[in-house]
Short mmCIF file of all heavy atoms in Angstrom, two decimals:
data_model
loop_
_atom_site.label_atom_id
_atom_site.label_comp_id
_atom_site.label_asym_id
_atom_site.label_seq_id
_atom_site.Cartn_x
_atom_site.Cartn_y
_atom_site.Cartn_z
N THR B 244 121.26 7.74 118.02
CA THR B 244 120.58 8.83 117.18
C THR B 244 120.09 9.95 118.07
O THR B 244 118.93 10.49 118.18
CB THR B 244 119.29 8.16 116.50
OG1 THR B 244 118.29 7.70 117.43
CG2 THR B 244 119.64 7.05 115.57
N SER B 245 121.10 10.61 118.77
CA SER B 245 120.92 11.71 119.62
C SER B 245 121.72 12.92 119.32
O SER B 245 122.90 12.71 118.81
CB SER B 245 121.07 11.25 121.11
OG SER B 245 122.30 10.90 121.36
N PHE B 246 121.30 14.05 119.84
CA PHE B 246 122.15 15.18 119.64
C PHE B 246 121.78 16.07 120.80
O PHE B 246 121.18 17.20 120.66
CB PHE B 246 121.82 15.88 118.33
CG PHE B 246 122.79 17.01 117.94
CD1 PHE B 246 124.17 16.86 117.85
CD2 PHE B 246 122.28 18.22 117.55
CE1 PHE B 246 125.02 17.85 117.50
CE2 PHE B 246 123.13 19.35 117.00
CZ PHE B 246 124.49 19.05 117.07
N HIS B 247 122.04 15.79 122.08
CA HIS B 247 121.59 16.44 123.32
C HIS B 247 122.40 17.71 123.45
O HIS B 247 123.67 17.80 123.30
CB HIS B 247 121.80 15.62 124.48
CG HIS B 247 121.08 14.26 124.49
ND1 HIS B 247 119.81 14.19 123.81
CD2 HIS B 247 121.48 12.98 124.74
CE1 HIS B 247 119.46 12.87 123.87
NE2 HIS B 247 120.35 12.23 124.42
N LEU B 248 121.77 18.82 123.77
CA LEU B 248 122.36 20.10 124.06
C LEU B 248 122.79 20.25 125.47
O LEU B 248 121.98 19.94 126.36
CB LEU B 248 121.43 21.30 123.62
CG LEU B 248 122.02 22.56 123.76
CD1 LEU B 248 123.17 22.91 122.94
CD2 LEU B 248 120.81 23.65 123.64
N GLU B 249 123.97 20.71 125.90
CA GLU B 249 124.45 20.75 127.29
C GLU B 249 125.13 22.15 127.40
O GLU B 249 125.76 22.68 126.49
CB GLU B 249 125.53 19.73 127.65
CG GLU B 249 124.79 18.29 127.55
CD GLU B 249 125.76 17.11 128.07
OE1 GLU B 249 126.92 17.47 127.81
OE2 GLU B 249 125.23 16.22 128.46
N LYS B 250 124.99 22.64 128.76
CA LYS B 250 125.77 23.80 129.06
C LYS B 250 126.09 23.64 130.54
O LYS B 250 125.23 23.36 131.34
CB LYS B 250 125.20 25.12 128.79
CG LYS B 250 126.06 26.34 129.12
CD LYS B 250 125.31 27.66 128.66
CE LYS B 250 126.37 28.82 129.01
NZ LYS B 250 125.80 30.17 128.68
N GLY B 251 127.33 23.90 131.02
CA GLY B 251 127.77 23.59 132.27
C GLY B 251 127.24 24.67 133.31
O GLY B 251 126.97 24.22 134.45
N SER B 252 126.96 25.85 132.90
CA SER B 252 126.54 26.82 133.84
C SER B 252 125.77 28.00 133.19
O SER B 252 126.31 28.70 132.39
CB SER B 252 127.84 27.55 134.52
OG SER B 252 127.45 28.60 135.29
N VAL B 253 124.47 27.80 133.26
CA VAL B 253 123.60 28.74 132.43
C VAL B 253 123.40 30.15 133.21
O VAL B 253 123.73 30.26 134.33
CB VAL B 253 122.09 28.09 132.39
CG1 VAL B 253 122.13 26.78 131.49
CG2 VAL B 253 121.52 27.88 133.75
N GLN B 254 123.16 31.02 132.34
CA GLN B 254 122.99 32.47 132.77
C GLN B 254 121.60 32.97 132.54
O GLN B 254 120.90 32.34 131.62
CB GLN B 254 124.04 33.36 132.10
CG GLN B 254 125.46 32.84 132.28
CD GLN B 254 125.90 32.86 133.68
OE1 GLN B 254 125.69 33.81 134.47
NE2 GLN B 254 126.54 31.74 134.19
N VAL B 255 121.09 33.90 133.12
CA VAL B 255 119.79 34.54 132.93
C VAL B 255 119.67 34.78 131.45
O VAL B 255 118.58 34.64 130.83
CB VAL B 255 119.58 35.74 133.78
CG1 VAL B 255 118.27 36.47 133.36
CG2 VAL B 255 119.47 35.37 135.27
N SER B 256 120.73 35.32 130.84
CA SER B 256 120.66 35.69 129.34
C SER B 256 120.53 34.55 128.45
O SER B 256 120.23 34.71 127.23
CB SER B 256 121.99 36.45 128.99
OG SER B 256 123.07 35.54 129.27
N ASP B 257 120.60 33.24 129.01
CA ASP B 257 120.34 32.11 128.19
C ASP B 257 118.79 31.78 128.01
O ASP B 257 118.51 30.76 127.28
CB ASP B 257 121.04 30.86 128.68
CG ASP B 257 122.54 30.91 128.59
OD1 ASP B 257 123.10 31.55 127.73
OD2 ASP B 257 123.18 30.48 129.57
N SER B 258 117.98 32.46 128.72
CA SER B 258 116.60 32.26 128.68
C SER B 258 116.06 32.41 127.24
O SER B 258 116.17 33.61 126.61
CB SER B 258 115.78 33.22 129.65
OG SER B 258 116.22 32.87 130.99
N ALA B 259 115.55 31.47 126.62
CA ALA B 259 115.05 31.47 125.29
C ALA B 259 114.37 30.11 124.99
O ALA B 259 114.29 29.28 125.75
CB ALA B 259 116.32 31.66 124.46
#
Side-chain angles (χ1 to χ4, degrees):
Chain B
T244 62
S245 65
F246 191 54
H247 303 323
L248 182 68
E249 297 181 337
K250 186 174 186 183
S252 176
V253 294
Q254 305 300 312
V255 172
S256 57
D257 293 327
S258 297

